[in-house]
Amino acid sequence: MKKAGPIYPFPAIVGQERMKLALILNVINPGLSGVLIRGEKGTAKSTAVRALADILPEIYVVKDDPFQLSPDEELDWFTEIRASLGRVSGQERVSGEEIEREKRKVRVVELPVGATEDRVVGSLNLEEALKSGEKKVEPGLLAAAHRGILYVDEVNLLDDHVVDVLLDSAAMGVNAIEREGISFSHPARFTLVGTMNPEEGELRPQLLDRFGLCVNIEGISRPEDRVEVMERRAAFDHDPEAFSRRWAREAEGLAEQIEKARRLYPEAEIERESLFQIARYCLEVGVDGHRGDIIILKTAKTLAAFDGRARVSARDIETAAELALPHRVRRQPLMEMADNLETLRRKKQNAS
Amino acid sequence: MRRDLFPFAAVVGQEDLKTSLMLCAVNPAVGGVLIRGEKGTAKSTLVRALADILPELETAADCAFSCDPARPQEWCERCRERAAANRRVKKRRPILTLPLNATEDRVTGSLDFEEAVRSGRRVVSPGLLAAAHRGILYVDEVNLLDDHLVDIILDAAASGENRLEREGLSFRHPARFMLIGTMNPEEGELRPQFLDRFGLSVAVNAEPDEKLRVELMLRREEFDLDPAAFQRRYADETAALRLKLSEAGERLPLVEFPKRLRKFVAELAMGSHAAGHRADLFMEQAALAMAALEGALEATEAQVMAVAPLVLAHRRREAAPPPPPPPPPEEDKEKENEKQAPEEPEKAAENPEEAAPPPEKSRDEERENASPPETGDNQDEGGPEQSGAPEDNHVQIGETFRVKSIQAAKDRLRRRGSGRRSRSRVSQKQGRYVKSGPDRGGGDLALDATLRAAAPYQLSRPRTAGLAVTLTPADIREKEREKRLGNFLFFTVDASGSMGARGRMAASKGAIMSLLLDAYQKRDRVALISFRRGEASLNLPLTASIDLAGKLLAELPVGGRTPLSAGLSRTWLELRNALTKNPLARPIVVLITDGRSNVALGEGKPLDEALRLASVMGRDERIKYIVVDTEEPGAVTFGLASQLAAALSAAYFKINDLKADALVNIVKGNLEK
């Protein structure tokens, strides 16, 4: 994402609580694998995603590594990639201490709708090939997005074969390149954040399923809030830095809360009976596969952690289901997407 | 074990799939597995986990082609040269992932560019087919794999070797591999000959049992929190599985297949009308593997029965052509459906009986409807049909089905766009890089091919300062890209009163819905035009939103007279607009009508006028027409739609003819769900 210009502070976004919550949850727990934001134009979708930069946590990466590998957890990959790039022999293992590491914020990488496949997966490095006569990999966007956030604006307009690529690497957490004379793979696990305007067409169900959460947003209807939106925007445009300073405390507060939640998450506990409730939810509405169950569990735990609790409440599960289920109910192409769980249940009741 | 691998033993449920994968691991002759099923059911997880428990095989040391020491006739050149000195090593059976976006050179192998620059020698850089020899080639979403790659794989699978004739190389090496593929049927089916290459097929579904679902959630969460600890927890079970598979592999050559079972196998295969003899062979091999797994030295009926469903599921064919569906009952229960119709299209699609309404109509009215359309010559108000159906009716969508493949003819024009219906060369720098060709000045440099072309001459060319490779214009290769493009699909629908009769509209809507589902899979853009009463209207301008089309279709009202000419001319107008905006487009028009017409645009007879218009429209070769005749077979038929089709030079179908040949009746329950 371009660094051009100051960024609108995340807490200063008026309303759209659901969207903000879904984004925050994904920042706390990348395992939620992303959020799809559906809504009309001009509802602060893109602003919110860009504003995430404010509240993103920091991670350790191998210094200057184009593949964003973790020095603690991905040493086997590191060794393998180094070997296949011909820098060291495969036998030579590197230990954690030898590697230079750096701490930096989680990255948001933008995937433009018109991106070509080779830019996304990576390609042959022209310069190296001509200069040294060696095949080197030019890492693509998937490499840049590893352990970060991959943001696709208008994700429903994405070209089909790029969607295939996303599905491929999302399924395996690995980007396998077998093209243009190179054979190479690297880990590519990312949080997929997409925005779309449903009027422009729906997503393929398979891609839909890859988004952990989904929120529908609408324009704000209360006049006071609309005025607030305009005023804040005007203030920001007038003097972005002063505006950001004014919101700095809240942004910091939120970032701290997120950091705490990240630490608390592994300890969050859930009662066995609640797990059955989750399973029943999913069976009731009839979702494909098990991703729904798993995502609800993770979301509920993340909600509890965000709230500073180590115990998942019934409310957490309810909210988690509302975030994780609606887009999964659309099981096949051409099935209408249930707007929210309510209509869904009503349908169910009417049917029986 | 790789940190990110979920242990095979820890996967909850999916016993069929686990068994199939284990059979493959024990006996490569089983021929691989096609895994069909909904998303999120551990398909990929299990296949990837398999890599960790596969038995080992013996091969010559440092051989890129995994030559089998026991088969000297297949050895590669290098192994032959140093046969005496060959050291044998054991390595795990390889499992190679073929990504959807692979290019041809990486699949078949190509010139080793680095070696060529260094030494000027042409050496093969082996591709995926070489690496997968004696192992497994794994394709996720195999139904989305591009056709040209499918062809290469089929070719290699059929001959057991890969022949390389490119870039001045002529080379062959053995390539016997098992295919494992996963697919989600909602994204389209496999080609029959590709389907047949898979030894087994398994349908996977989500676990319906709450307890198991809970267990599954817990395990996944535990794994995600600390993968290493989770793997350790299952280390013993993983080791036991590994041992079991490797012992079974060693036992396999000793297992016998008794003669009496051969007959049994043949009967089973014949009983399900499996095509060809592959089913028998795969069944035998799978039963052998099953016996080996169970520690037996002779295969039994029980083992054959256990593997038979896996082998036969995707080979089963209908015994005879499917019986014609019962004649549609008469008269729609339109009134009752009026409210529900727009809300529940999918429900209607699932329950064809519901959409097929009970018979009610009187003999008289039927005869009236059957009267020749020309009677509508008296064009002013009050034709007999109109009095019969004075108001608009809503009709539910009838039965949906898989449709025949419909494509625009392939030509050599280069286009832009996306989709997956008709194949075309594309001009933009998008689409699959299929192969490389000589420079056309398009600026889409195929760097790899260019370098490979230049590489062998580097030693003799003068060095450019700072560069290891010197290129000349003759080396330049460009990317040839190809992709399937979505077409423009125009649906022109007769929505007049006569269509409302006797469930014809329900059946027609079912047919259109089926075509729309197909259009979704092919990523077409669709438009919907309907004609009724005195006029034709554009209900939906060209859009990529098939969902919207489906919704509108459900709501499409029926009633009034039949202005066929108006429908045709409106379609023509839209076609011309589309072609002006997009001169390279090859639109497909699907005309759903019984061919009757009782409202003309001008003075002449409505039917003659329509036929005249049709013959003008039919002259444009860029447009492909399809006429779907909705006239029901019966005592009195007029065959008007076929006349219309002839005038349009259109392909002519009855609704039932649209159904894809049920060559392979794939796990039908899955499709219907």
Side-chain angles (χ1 to χ4, degrees):
Chain A
M1 187 166 285
K2 271 174 259 159
K3 274 264 146 64
I7 293 166
Y8 193 85
F10 191 82
I13 296 167
V14 182
Q16 313 297 14
E17 298 304 331
R18 266 292 146 100
M19 170 177 73
K20 285 195 276 187
L21 180 63
L23 285 170
I24 290 171
L25 293 177
N26 269 290
V27 170
I28 297 173
N29 182 4
L32 296 182
S33 70
V35 53
L36 175 66
I37 307 169
R38 296 160 48 91
E40 334 161 354
K41 285 254 165 223
T43 38
K45 291 179 298 215
S46 306
T47 312
V49 180
R50 278 166 230 265
L52 273 181
D54 249 6
I55 54 167
L56 289 173
E58 295 193 315
I59 49 170
Y60 280 107
V61 292
V62 177
K63 195 157 186 263
D64 299 325
D65 182 30
F67 302 100
Q68 333 294 332
L69 296 178
S70 154
D72 302 313
E73 293 170 356
E74 292 175 323
L75 279 182
D76 44 354
W77 270 112
F78 186 76
T79 319
E80 200 173 298
I81 288 176
R82 283 226 301 195
S84 68
L85 292 180
R87 300 219 182 103
V88 287
S89 75
Q91 276 74 28
E92 199 179 317
R93 269 201 81 82
V94 261
S95 75
E97 288 81 50
E98 296 167 28
I99 295 173
E100 258 196 280
R101 49 173 69 200
E102 65 178 339
K103 198 173 185 184
R104 63 154 176 76
K105 282 199 163 188
V106 165
R107 250 186 226 154
V108 180
V109 176
E110 187 162 356
L111 170 63
V113 164
T116 55
E117 209 172 353
D118 37 341
R119 266 303 292 142
V120 178
V121 296
S123 57
L124 184 61
N125 184 319
L126 173 78
E127 207 180 319
E128 284 287 338
L130 289 179
K131 273 201 184 142
S132 62
E134 281 167 29
K135 286 189 288 192
K136 286 279 157 65
V137 178
E138 174 78 48
L141 288 175
L142 290 180
H146 179 49
R147 301 172 70 209
I149 293 172
L150 188 67
Y151 170 50
V152 196
D153 200 10
E154 308 286 347
V155 62
N156 48 342
L157 304 183
L158 209 57
D159 218 13
D160 229 30
H161 48 264
V162 177
V163 172
D164 291 348
V165 170
L166 287 185
L167 287 175
D168 239 11
S169 51
M172 309 202 271
V174 173
N175 175 34
I177 311 174
E178 294 289 348
R179 21 189 305 129
E180 307 184 34
I182 30 182
S183 174
F184 185 76
S185 27
H186 63 83
R189 275 177 290 107
F190 45 83
T191 299
L192 188 60
V193 175
T195 63
M196 64 176 278
N197 183 349
E199 286 163 21
E200 310 260 344
E202 284 295 342
L203 283 188
R204 279 158 65 182
Q206 249 173 328
L207 182 58
L208 211 49
D209 195 50
R210 291 285 168 195
F211 288 97
L213 312 180
C214 172
V215 286
N216 283 301
I217 58 173
E218 288 163 7
I220 297 167
S221 51
R222 269 182 45 189
E224 305 91 274
D225 289 343
R226 295 189 79 102
V227 171
E228 188 69 35
V229 172
M230 282 185 278
E231 277 176 359
R232 286 193 193 169
R233 190 77 227 179
F236 175 75
D237 289 344
H238 176 69
D239 186 351
E241 264 148 49
F243 187 79
S244 299
R245 266 199 306 280
R246 218 178 316 143
W247 286 93
R249 275 228 351 243
E250 280 180 57
E252 270 166 36
L254 184 57
E256 259 167 49
Q257 198 185 349
I258 288 173
E259 199 46 57
K260 250 190 224 149
R262 277 166 74 90
R263 282 195 301 269
L264 188 56
Y265 178 81
E267 272 123 62
E269 280 178 17
I270 183 163
E271 278 167 41
R272 205 169 159 76
E273 181 44 39
S274 308
L275 291 171
F276 278 92
Q277 197 192 335
I278 295 175
R280 271 196 298 273
Y281 257 131
C282 293
L283 283 169
E284 244 172 58
V285 299
V287 294
D288 265 3
H290 295 278
R291 213 167 273 134
D293 305 44
I294 294 166
I295 295 289
I296 294 180
L297 169 62
K298 284 179 191 288
T299 310
K301 282 177 70 180
T302 315
L303 275 164
F306 182 50
D307 203 23
R309 282 176 286 121
R311 188 155 271 283
V312 174
S313 72
R315 185 91 195 84
D316 293 333
I317 293 177
E318 190 84 14
T319 313
E322 278 167 30
L323 286 168
L325 281 186
H327 62 300
R328 286 174 214 281
V329 179
R330 184 184 187 272
R331 303 180 35 158
Q332 309 232 321
L334 294 185
M335 269 198 180
E336 247 180 276
M337 182 130 109
D339 275 331
N340 56 51
L341 224 58
E342 279 311 302
T343 37
L344 211 93
R345 286 209 202 99
R346 232 176 295 134
K347 250 190 176 171
K348 207 84 207 176
Q349 278 160 9
N350 289 349
S352 58
Chain B
M1 183 176 196
R2 216 191 216 129
R3 215 190 119 82
D4 46 8
L5 281 187
F6 193 88
F8 194 89
V11 174
V12 177
Q14 309 298 8
E15 296 306 330
D16 275 357
L17 177 51
K18 283 188 200 160
T19 310
S20 308
L21 291 174
M22 281 160 66
L23 293 178
C24 289
V26 170
N27 182 3
V30 164
V33 198
L34 176 64
I35 309 166
R36 305 164 48 87
E38 47 189 66
K39 36 199 181 293
T41 41
K43 296 187 293 258
S44 308
T45 307
L46 267 171
V47 178
R48 294 179 58 220
L50 181 69
D52 195 50
I53 53 169
L54 282 175
E56 296 187 317
L57 51 79
E58 206 171 45
T59 162
D62 304 324
C63 176
F65 303 97
S66 305
C67 285
D68 185 351
R71 292 180 175 224
Q73 71 277 10
E74 279 185 359
W75 285 356
C76 67
E77 243 170 77
R78 193 152 160 269
C79 286
R80 248 174 245 175
E81 273 169 22
R82 47 167 205 179
N86 259 354
R87 207 158 43 85
R88 292 179 177 196
V89 288
K90 286 204 158 194
K91 67 170 188 182
R92 186 148 289 162
R93 207 177 273 288
I95 174 161
L96 271 290
T97 305
L98 170 62
L100 292 180
N101 58 24
T103 51
E104 195 185 285
D105 61 290
R106 277 303 308 146
V107 180
T108 60
S110 62
L111 181 80
D112 186 336
F113 157 69
E114 287 162 315
E115 182 64 32
V117 170
R118 261 198 306 275
S119 66
R121 287 194 309 141
R122 291 176 197 269
V123 179
V124 174
S125 159
L128 285 173
L129 290 181
H133 179 49
R134 303 173 70 200
I136 293 170
L137 189 65
Y138 169 52
V139 194
D140 212 9
E141 311 290 350
V142 64
N143 50 340
L144 303 181
L145 193 64
D146 256 22
D147 271 350
H148 70 276
L149 290 183
V150 173
D151 292 339
I152 293 170
I153 292 173
L154 282 178
D155 196 36
S159 60
E161 63 173 10
N162 175 37
R163 281 177 296 260
L164 192 61
E165 300 285 348
R166 53 187 288 160
E167 292 160 350
L169 294 168
S170 178
F171 191 81
R172 58 172 60 192
H173 64 83
R176 277 177 291 104
F177 51 87
M178 253 186 301
L179 271 174
I180 293 185
T182 64
M183 65 174 279
N184 190 335
E186 73 191 31
E187 298 283 336
E189 288 295 339
L190 282 189
R191 279 154 60 184
Q193 64 269 50
F194 196 21
L195 198 59
D196 201 36
R197 284 286 159 199
F198 290 91
L200 315 176
S201 85
V202 188
V204 291
N205 291 306
E207 193 56 62
D209 184 83
E210 276 175 29
K211 259 204 200 113
L212 289 177
R213 283 186 93 109
V214 167
E215 183 60 34
L216 193 148
M217 271 186 265
L218 285 173
R219 286 196 194 170
R220 184 77 224 181
E221 184 63 6
E222 193 188 333
F223 172 77
D224 285 346
L225 281 175
D226 190 349
F230 189 77
Q231 286 169 353
R232 271 197 303 279
R233 209 181 108 188
Y234 283 90
D236 287 351
E237 285 182 57
T238 305
L241 259 179
R242 214 177 277 149
L243 184 68
K244 183 178 175 188
L245 290 181
S246 93
E247 279 177 357
E250 276 160 30
R251 190 178 302 113
L252 182 75
L254 311 174
V255 182
E256 299 210 353
F257 198 78
K259 262 218 171 83
R260 66 191 155 81
L261 280 187
R262 292 241 155 82
K263 202 169 154 233
F264 180 50
V265 163
E267 276 164 8
L268 276 176
M270 273 157 59
S272 54
H273 307 275
H277 294 280
R278 274 216 187 93
D280 309 40
L281 298 176
F282 283 139
M283 228 184 305
E284 178 174 335
Q285 292 299 335
L288 285 173
M290 193 64 145
L293 263 179
E294 289 176 1
L297 286 175
E298 192 181 275
T300 63
E301 268 95 348
Q303 280 144 3
V304 172
M305 286 307 285
V307 299
L310 302 173
V311 176
L312 294 174
H314 56 302
R315 301 198 157 75
R316 195 164 287 141
R317 288 201 301 189
E318 308 255 344
E330 297 157 16
E331 161 94 3
D332 270 330
K333 48 173 183 181
E334 301 132 340
K335 294 280 151 49
E336 290 161 53
N337 295 340
E338 202 166 331
K339 290 262 155 50
Q340 306 167 13
E343 281 170 26
E344 299 183 322
E346 52 307 307
K347 207 173 153 219
E350 279 167 22
N351 303 325
E353 328 56 66
E354 237 187 71
E360 246 169 52
K361 206 153 199 173
S362 71
R363 218 41 244 174
D364 276 9
E365 265 182 76
E366 198 182 334
R367 213 176 310 126
E368 224 169 64
N369 277 333
S371 63
E374 271 87 354
T375 52
D377 267 356
N378 52 337
Q379 260 144 68
D380 297 30
E381 310 290 85
E385 281 169 23
Q386 211 160 22
S387 59
E391 53 187 277
D392 294 350
N393 291 311
H394 292 283
V395 177
Q396 285 195 339
I397 294 171
E399 184 195 8
T400 56
F401 46 82
R402 262 181 68 211
V403 296
K404 275 208 173 89
S405 145
I406 297 168
Q407 283 196 21
K410 191 181 169 188
D411 53 31
R412 297 181 153 266
L413 292 174
R414 283 162 208 280
R415 303 188 166 80
R416 308 171 73 86
S418 76
R420 43 170 51 106
R421 185 176 294 275
S422 308
R423 276 220 258 174
S424 173
R425 289 283 148 90
V426 285
S427 58
Q428 78 237 67
K429 287 190 182 177
Q430 272 183 358
R432 296 252 140 76
Y433 164 29
V434 188
K435 52 185 180 181
S436 52
D439 186 18
R440 296 185 308 270
D444 195 4
L445 181 74
L447 178 60
D448 56 327
T450 306
L451 290 172
R452 285 197 295 266
Y457 309 107
Q458 291 310 308
L459 291 182
S460 58
R461 282 185 191 164
R463 232 356 104 91
T464 316
L467 293 181
V469 182
T470 311
L471 297 178
T472 67
D475 301 327
I476 303 290
R477 298 287 183 276
E478 257 190 53
K479 287 178 180 169
E480 291 264 352
R481 299 179 188 256
E482 188 173 278
K483 61 198 246 177
R484 282 174 184 275
L485 298 180
N487 283 84
F488 294 159
L489 233 58
F490 288 83
F491 289 94
T492 302
V493 186
D494 180 351
S496 64
S498 63
M499 289 288 288
R502 284 161 296 164
R504 282 158 66 188
M505 198 58 196
S508 302
K509 280 191 177 181
I512 301 171
M513 200 64 184
S514 314
L515 287 162
L516 279 177
L517 278 165
D518 185 54
Y520 162 77
Q521 287 173 353
K522 310 278 167 56
R523 316 285 187 252
D524 291 317
R525 298 178 61 190
V526 297
L528 185 64
I529 297 160
S530 68
F531 55 96
R532 54 189 284 267
R533 299 242 159 103
E535 55 179 24
S537 49
L538 177 66
N539 301 61
L540 180 69
L542 271 180
T543 172
S545 173
I546 307 285
D547 298 71
L548 199 55
K551 214 181 287 175
L552 276 169
L553 176 69
E555 290 163 6
L556 189 71
V558 180
R561 302 163 53 107
T562 320
L564 178 58
S565 315
L568 288 175
S569 75
R570 183 69 206 237
T571 309
W572 185 233
L573 184 75
E574 294 303 327
L575 279 170
R576 280 212 317 249
N577 283 345
L579 281 168
T580 319
K581 271 189 228 155
N582 215 320
L584 292 176
R586 290 293 173 271
I588 298 175
V589 177
V590 182
L591 182 61
I592 294 112
T593 175
D594 53 8
R596 295 173 195 210
S597 177
N598 53 23
V599 181
L601 289 168
E603 297 294 307
K605 282 190 174 177
L607 191 64
D608 294 347
E609 185 188 75
L611 287 175
R612 228 172 22 247
L613 267 172
S615 63
V616 175
M617 290 167 73
R619 263 178 241 147
D620 193 324
E621 286 183 355
R622 291 173 299 177
I623 307 165
K624 183 184 170 94
Y625 295 96
I626 294 163
V627 172
V628 180
D629 189 353
T630 61
E631 185 174 59
E632 59 203 83
V636 205
T637 53
F638 300 104
L640 297 172
S642 63
Q643 281 180 40
L644 187 69
L648 278 169
S649 331
Y652 169 83
F653 294 103
K654 296 261 187 202
I655 289 182
N656 278 334
D657 300 339
L658 268 182
K659 296 181 185 176
D661 287 339
L663 176 69
V664 186
N665 178 16
I666 311 145
V667 203
K668 221 175 166 201
N670 245 5
L671 285 174
E672 278 167 2
K673 195 167 43 178

